[in-house]
Structure formats: structure tokens, C-alpha cells
Amino acid sequence: MNLSERLNEDMKQAMKSQDKFKLSVIRMVRSAVKNIEIEQRKALEDNEVLDVLSREIKQRKDSLQEFEKAGREDLAEPLKAEIDILMEYLPQQLSEEEVKAIVQQTIQEVGASSKADMGKVMSALMPKVKGLADGKIVNQCVQQLLS
């Protein structure tokens, strides 16, 4: 079962169990996927659906950070729940140690030696960790290891 089918099945399940919150989150993701399918005039592959999910999670994490900074827990709590639901569809995330190991290996492959080579490292690294690690964590690891 691919990711789009899984979203459809989970949406049906949420309808049957009358879980309105989960249903609204899944509908929102399906809508974002459908909009991109219409734009590109083709059905999305699993990795493209993962991109959409990652983008939606990133948007929510950014908003969550702002709400917490402003002390708006009333708005932060539903966002946390949405993030938890969306994270169910991503593959198992790499730990920080695993990310550091991949970063170290990529730095050696590319032959990077300073922060000036960060672009080369990131362009070689991101396809390896796409959907498996948060971009901020990857960026921080690269900066640490290149400094």
C-alpha cells in the first residue's frame, strides 16, 4: 500500500470512528497532495508525498515555535497533536548520532574541509536523509563538523 492509499484508508477509518480532529488533519494533507497533483498533472510518487508531509510538518513546527514564544499554549496544543498525526506517515526518523555518522561520511566523500564547502556537502547529503531527518538537525551537524 502506497502512502496515498494509506492516507485514504486512514481517512475512512477516522470517519468511521468519528475522530474529527484526525479526519481534518488527513483531509488537509490529502488536499495539499491533490493540489500538487493538479499542478503537475500526474499522480505523486511516495517520495513526493513524503515531501508534502515534511513541508506540512515544518510549517507546523515553525508556527508552534512562534506560538510558544508568544505564550499561546491554547494554540500550541492542537498544533502538537497535528504534528504527531503527520509524523505517523513519515519513515522512522534517524537519531542525531546516525545523522552525524552520515554527515561525516558525506564530508569525506565530497572532500570538504571548511564552511565554504557547506553547499557541496548539503547537496550531496540531503538526498540521503530526505524524509529521515529534520533539515535543521542535518544543517547543525554539518556546521559543527565543518568548523
Side-chain angles (χ1 to χ4, degrees), residues 28-45 47-56 59:
M28 176 271 317
V29 170
R30 288 190 62 231
S31 173
V33 169
K34 188 57 101 178
N35 286 337
I36 293 174
E37 286 178 342
I38 291 169
E39 259 178 44
Q40 297 181 359
R41 294 185 173 95
K42 70 177 182 84
L44 296 183
E45 304 280 326
N47 62 341
E48 295 167 315
V49 175
L50 279 175
D51 288 344
V52 173
L53 283 166
S54 297
R55 192 173 327 115
E56 294 293 331
Q59 287 174 353

Side-chain angles (χ1 to χ4, degrees), residues 18-124:
Q18 297 184 356
D19 185 348
K20 291 182 176 162
F21 185 74
K22 186 171 185 172
L23 180 62
S24 71
V25 172
I26 293 172
R27 280 184 171 157
M28 176 271 317
V29 170
R30 288 190 62 231
S31 173
V33 169
K34 188 57 101 178
N35 286 337
I36 293 174
E37 286 178 342
I38 291 169
E39 259 178 44
Q40 297 181 359
R41 294 185 173 95
K42 70 177 182 84
L44 296 183
E45 304 280 326
D46 271 358
N47 62 341
E48 295 167 315
V49 175
L50 279 175
D51 288 344
V52 173
L53 283 166
S54 297
R55 192 173 327 115
E56 294 293 331
I57 290 171
K58 183 182 182 319
Q59 287 174 353
R60 277 161 186 70
K61 283 184 177 180
D62 291 345
S63 297
L64 180 64
Q65 211 172 26
E66 293 301 316
F67 288 149
E68 286 175 341
K69 205 182 296 180
R72 295 294 309 263
E73 281 302 313
D74 58 321
L75 296 174
E77 289 305 314
L79 271 181
K80 288 177 186 173
E82 284 183 25
I83 291 169
D84 290 340
I85 291 170
L86 294 174
M87 291 296 281
E88 293 175 19
Y89 297 98
L90 291 182
Q92 181 65 38
Q93 299 292 292
L94 297 172
S95 69
E96 199 166 332
E97 292 79 33
E98 292 170 317
V99 172
K100 281 185 181 180
I102 294 171
V103 168
Q104 189 67 44
Q105 177 188 356
T106 306
I107 287 173
Q108 290 172 354
E109 287 172 7
V110 176
S113 58
S114 68
K115 284 199 177 198
D117 299 323
M118 189 164 171
K120 278 197 287 187
V121 173
M122 291 300 285
S123 63

